Amino acid sequence: MRTEPTPEAIEENSLYRAMGLTDDEYRRVVERLGRRPNYVETGLFGVLWSEHCSYKSSRAYLKKFPTSGPQVLQGPGENAGVVDIGDGIGIAFKMESHNHPSAVEPYQGAATGVGGILRDVFTMGARPIAFLNSLRFGPLEDGHTRYLFANVVAGIGGYGNCVGIPTVGGEAVFDPAYTHNPLVNAMCVGMLPADAIATGAAKGVGNPVFVVGSRTGRDGIHGATFASTDNPKEKERSAVQVGDPFLGKLLMEACLELISTGAVVGIQDMGAAGLTSSSAEMASRAGGGVELYLDLVPCRESGMSPYEMMLSESQERMLVVMEKGQESLAFDILHKWDLQVEEIGKVTDDGRLRLLFHGDVVADVPVSLLVDEAPVYQRCVVDRYHQPGLDVSLPVPSSNWEAAWLELLAHPTIADKRWIYQQYDTSVRASTLVGPGSDAALVLVPGTQKAVAMATDGNGRYVYLNPRVGGAIAVAEAARNVVCSGARPLALTNCLNFGNPEKPAIMRQFADAVEGMGEASRALDVPVVSGNVSFYNETGGTDIFPTPVVGVVGVLDALNRATPSSFQGDGHEVVLVGVDERGLDGSLYWQLQAGKPAGDAPYFRIEEEVRVQKLVQAAIAAGYVLAAHDVSEGGLAVALAEMAVGRGVGVQAQLIAGSPAGAFFGEAQGRILLEVADGQLETLQALAAAKEVPCQRIGRTGGAMVSMTVGSTDAMNVAVARLASVYNATLPERMNEPIAP
């Protein structure tokens, strides 16, 4: 084992900088400790005070989110949030990012992101039932982007398929803003008894502490600080963890069995910062301390130092606190599953994280200083956000509407995503009622007539143009997708993906987006119960679009009200619920015309959104609706095409008068298309009038064409088969081209 620098050398040579601490932060540690920290202690502070672990730039803003409600059983602060869906059933869920690792090692970066979020959910005592993901990449014309995309998709499928949990939904966006910084956000949803939530607190003085699962190696060391800096391509691949999904499956089953005994006091995934974060955070939640004997930690590499053991992010590991006297349970259950388990410490009441190695104390620091007193920064924020699209000199929109329509349907962001989800097991366990390709996924709740609804959404272009409105739209659209499935939204999780927080303009984006998300969450009654912040998504001084991604979970109370997103047959009325044409602001159509995002964010009024969603919920519950689909990217033209190609059912639509480009391709929010059976139209319109929601018949299903007309001269008329061919071809064709690692 190599000789570690002395505390004096660490200070004199500013070695703490490479370990993640700034000069001011190091001085703060020295002042609070009353001495210089040694090498191991400096490492502990470096990872726990990193942006990734401490949220030091975002914590003050996150307090603005609503986090409680009668449906919330567990809010932020634990490994995942939990909501009540009735019948004594809780749903645990969370979303996290693995952006930086995926930019360097896309397969393992994505796979370990899935593994990490899986452990966060089963740590709550919940059996995982579904995965979703939200992906952002640059244009697929670039060979390296195709390499990243292909391997991220393979990594998600490789891990999820092996652990036997279906990947039921998600989204993928392709824009030059993400060329150098792809975003890989993973979400997991699990089910548990509502009165049996496990927590991650190291309670009970003298209770034994166990490390469970994989042996500790040198992979992932400084992964947390790696995720808290810019330009990940310059970082070493050794900072990226390596997953083992087969071991992950065994670990999940063993931990769920162990939790079910009632002898588990606290349990925590060893995710970012590994043994450091799990031990310190568990002690902090309990208001106590932990003493660890590092020579007992099972290692798979020889000569590992205490520093390496504490900072390793080797995957498939858990830290478990058991009731004293129940140690044999842990050994019996874990050995039955052929898993490594070792007692490595105990809970104390002195409020300190104390580490010993062969009898020597190698670190002894206050838990509160490590966790609770991590710095909170009030970063510089510009007074007002400059809306970049307002100054764009926009070209005159094309009048070749059919060509523009086909171009949008062929854009990888809109085009059919079957190339992605065909690589995933979407129906293992036979519980998937509605899988990928619909507005929201639905997973059955065994023994009931209920299903869990789930959807992810976000649009960085909108947030770039207007962070506050764009942030609100992210929440509203994810909830709207759940409503379109027939379900009632309950709560949300999020991944807040932003650029460099040390730039005042980026912090303005963040502050405004959080403000807008909070406003929409309160109005729609979908509190935030878990989430993640990912900063420093920047390369060469260029930041990504500010991209908050939202995952909403809801409940479908009656399976016979599950609502598809495709037209179901000929001769039915097509109704637009919500506002009429409101221009091209923020639309993908305008971005393609102008060469960059244009205008403001799309039209959005939260009070209108609330009324629209409540109306559609009521209409579906009353049995008026055969199919529902939200109007989003690409506007009404794309939404109608998507409803048509699903089952090959045509439609003839007369759109509300206005500018043809806006009527066809505008992305004004708060709009849902409904397919309504004969005899139900007037009843639906009466219900809409009572709820003060615009509701207009715009057409009728039938035939082999999709026809749209605005006024008397502007029209589009394309065969459903032609639309389907364009819509389905893009990703397979692009991904058949060569890749470039």
Side-chain angles (χ1 to χ4, degrees):
M1 188 164 52
R2 66 184 180 84
T3 302
E4 294 173 344
T6 65
E8 292 75 17
I10 292 171
E11 180 177 54
E12 182 178 346
N13 298 308
S14 301
L15 301 181
Y16 53 81
R17 294 177 184 170
M19 300 161 80
L21 293 173
T22 66
D23 293 346
D24 287 342
E25 289 168 351
Y26 177 78
R27 285 191 290 269
R28 180 174 178 175
V29 171
V30 172
E31 179 183 335
R32 288 287 287 109
L33 282 180
R35 59 178 173 83
R36 301 182 186 91
N38 65 27
Y39 188 70
V40 175
E41 292 168 339
T42 305
L44 302 182
F45 283 103
V47 291
L48 286 183
W49 286 16
S50 68
E51 189 72 61
H52 189 73
C53 290
S54 73
Y55 289 12
K56 56 192 177 186
S57 297
S58 61
R59 196 186 310 175
Y61 295 95
L62 301 180
K63 295 176 181 178
K64 297 182 179 182
F65 285 147
T67 59
S68 61
Q71 70 272 47
V72 177
L73 299 175
Q74 175 63 61
E78 277 291 344
N79 291 287
V82 185
V83 293
D84 188 353
I85 64 167
D87 297 327
I89 300 168
I91 299 298
F93 63 103
K94 189 179 183 182
M95 182 187 294
E96 282 197 348
S97 61
H98 237 218
N99 304 334
H100 292 75
S102 299
V104 175
E105 180 53 67
Y107 185 95
Q108 289 297 343
T112 52
V114 173
I117 200 66
L118 171 74
R119 292 191 297 276
D120 281 339
V121 167
F122 75 66
T123 296
M124 303 300 296
R127 175 165 291 281
I129 60 172
F131 288 126
L132 300 92
N133 54 71
S134 181
L135 311 176
R136 302 289 187 280
F137 294 91
L140 286 177
E141 289 80 5
D142 177 72
H144 183 65
T145 295
R146 292 194 296 275
Y147 161 77
L148 292 174
F149 177 50
N151 281 278
V152 162
V153 170
I156 292 169
Y159 201 104
N161 295 351
C162 286
V163 296
I165 298 166
T167 300
V168 298
E171 55 169 355
V173 172
F174 302 86
D175 190 282
Y178 307 103
T179 297
H180 301 294
N181 286 88
L183 303 183
V184 178
N185 294 178
M187 178 175 169
C188 184
V189 180
M191 193 179 305
L192 75 163
D195 60 355
I197 298 173
T199 61
K203 300 176 183 176
V205 176
N207 279 337
V209 178
F210 293 86
V211 63
V212 172
S214 179
R215 291 175 176 268
T216 298
R218 291 188 170 96
D219 53 318
I221 292 176
H222 272 299
T225 49
F226 162 72
S228 303
T229 55
D230 58 1
N231 206 357
K233 293 183 179 179
E234 294 181 358
K235 305 298 179 182
E236 295 182 2
R237 289 177 182 262
S238 61
V240 179
Q241 310 94 328
V242 178
D244 183 341
F246 297 103
L247 184 59
K249 166 68 172 175
L250 297 177
L251 185 62
M252 176 182 70
E253 298 296 346
C255 287
L256 289 173
E257 182 176 344
L258 191 61
I259 291 169
S260 71
T261 67
V264 172
V265 174
I267 181 169
Q268 176 95 353
D269 166 38
M270 289 193 206
L275 187 52
T276 298
S277 63
S278 55
S279 58
E281 289 173 3
M282 290 181 77
S284 173
R285 290 190 187 111
V290 169
E291 186 168 282
L292 302 179
Y293 313 112
L294 299 183
D295 42 298
L296 300 180
V297 173
C299 296
R300 65 169 181 263
E301 300 181 49
S302 62
M304 288 191 67
S305 68
Y307 180 92
E308 292 171 324
M309 292 180 202
M310 292 302 295
L311 270 64
S312 167
E313 294 183 10
S314 294
Q315 297 291 283
E316 333 306 345
R317 298 181 302 156
M318 308 291 289
L319 198 66
V320 180
V321 177
M322 298 286 292
E323 286 184 8
K324 191 171 180 59
Q326 300 290 333
E327 293 89 341
S328 61
L329 269 178
F331 286 102
D332 291 346
I333 291 173
L334 272 298
H335 286 160
K336 183 184 78 172
W337 289 97
D338 199 25
L339 289 171
Q340 180 76 43
V341 55
E342 194 67 53
E343 185 177 342
I344 66 164
K346 64 182 179 181
V347 177
T348 65
D349 62 357
D350 60 5
R352 303 187 74 82
L353 178 62
R354 186 176 296 106
L355 310 177
L356 291 87
F357 189 61
H358 297 301
D360 296 327
V361 176
V362 295
D364 188 356
V365 295
V367 169
S368 60
L369 179 58
L370 274 173
V371 179
D372 307 305
E373 297 179 42
V376 176
Y377 290 134
Q378 294 290 340
R379 300 283 191 189
C380 291
V381 179
V382 295
D383 291 338
R384 180 176 296 181
Y385 184 68
H386 169 66
Q387 292 176 303
L390 295 179
D391 298 331
V392 174
S393 178
L394 294 170
V396 176
S398 167
S399 60
N400 189 344
W401 307 125
E402 290 182 3
W405 190 18
L406 296 175
E407 182 184 15
L408 283 167
L409 287 171
H411 193 285
T413 295
I414 289 176
D416 181 73
K417 304 300 188 298
R418 200 163 306 165
W419 184 91
I420 300 174
Y421 61 77
Q422 281 182 337
Q423 301 183 52
Y424 305 152
D425 191 332
T426 62
S427 58
V428 64
R429 299 179 183 268
S431 293
T432 305
L433 180 63
V434 176
S438 192
D439 283 57
L442 294 171
V443 177
L444 298 170
V445 178
T448 75
Q449 285 298 302
K450 294 183 176 183
V452 182
M454 55 202 81
T456 62
D457 225 304
N459 192 310
R461 183 174 67 254
Y462 297 170
V463 187
Y464 172 72
L465 291 169
N466 189 321
R468 186 165 180 167
V469 174
I473 289 173
V475 172
E477 187 168 355
R480 196 186 315 137
N481 284 329
V482 167
V483 167
C484 287
S485 75
R488 171 168 47 92
L490 293 174
L492 68 86
T493 184
N494 58 55
C495 269
L496 308 180
N497 307 276
F498 285 77
N500 187 340
E502 297 167 40
K503 296 179 178 178
I506 298 300
M507 285 309 298
R508 172 52 63 192
Q509 289 177 342
F510 184 83
D512 287 357
V514 166
E515 191 77 31
M517 293 175 73
E519 290 169 354
S521 298
R522 280 184 287 273
L524 292 164
D525 191 23
V526 282
V528 179
V529 298
S530 60
N532 167 250
V533 178
S534 175
F535 276 130
Y536 293 102
N537 292 288
E538 172 198 57
T539 297
T542 301
D543 300 278
I544 61 163
F545 282 162
T547 310
V549 173
V550 173
V552 167
V553 165
V555 60
L556 177 70
D557 291 310
L559 296 181
N560 64 344
R561 294 301 180 220
T563 307
S565 60
S566 300
F567 290 134
Q568 297 300 291
D570 293 349
H572 300 147
E573 306 289 358
V574 179
V575 174
L576 175 64
V577 175
V579 300
D580 57 9
E581 187 264 322
R582 285 293 190 275
L584 289 167
D585 277 328
S587 65
L588 181 58
Y589 170 80
W590 222 356
Q591 177 171 333
L592 296 178
Q593 293 287 315
K596 55 183 175 180
D600 203 336
Y603 175 88
F604 176 78
R605 299 290 185 274
I606 187 59
E607 63 278 4
E608 295 175 359
E609 182 76 47
V610 171
R611 290 198 295 269
V612 165
Q613 293 194 21
K614 287 183 176 179
L615 167 66
V616 173
Q617 289 181 65
I620 291 175
Y624 304 156
V625 178
L626 299 173
H629 185 38
D630 86 312
V631 180
S632 55
E633 205 124 42
L636 273 169
V638 165
L640 284 166
E642 289 173 336
M643 295 186 81
V645 302
R647 297 184 60 172
V649 177
V651 62
Q652 296 77 49
Q654 175 68 51
L655 303 186
I656 300 156
S659 71
F664 290 144
F665 309 124
E667 296 177 14
Q669 299 294 296
R671 298 189 294 169
I672 296 175
L673 284 168
L674 303 179
E675 180 186 12
V676 180
D678 276 343
Q680 299 286 8
L681 177 60
E682 290 184 1
T683 308
L684 173 63
Q685 289 177 326
L687 179 64
K691 293 183 177 292
E692 299 181 335
V693 176
C695 177
Q696 296 196 40
R697 177 192 181 278
I698 64 169
R700 193 170 180 84
T701 61
M705 309 293 287
V706 176
S707 301
M708 284 180 277
T709 304
V710 178
S712 59
T713 59
D714 293 288
M716 299 193 292
N717 190 40
V718 179
V720 176
R722 170 66 173 148
L723 296 174
S725 175
V726 171
Y727 183 68
N728 295 329
T730 296
L731 287 186
E733 288 179 356
R734 296 280 174 85
M735 295 311 294
N736 278 334
E737 298 173 14
I739 62 176

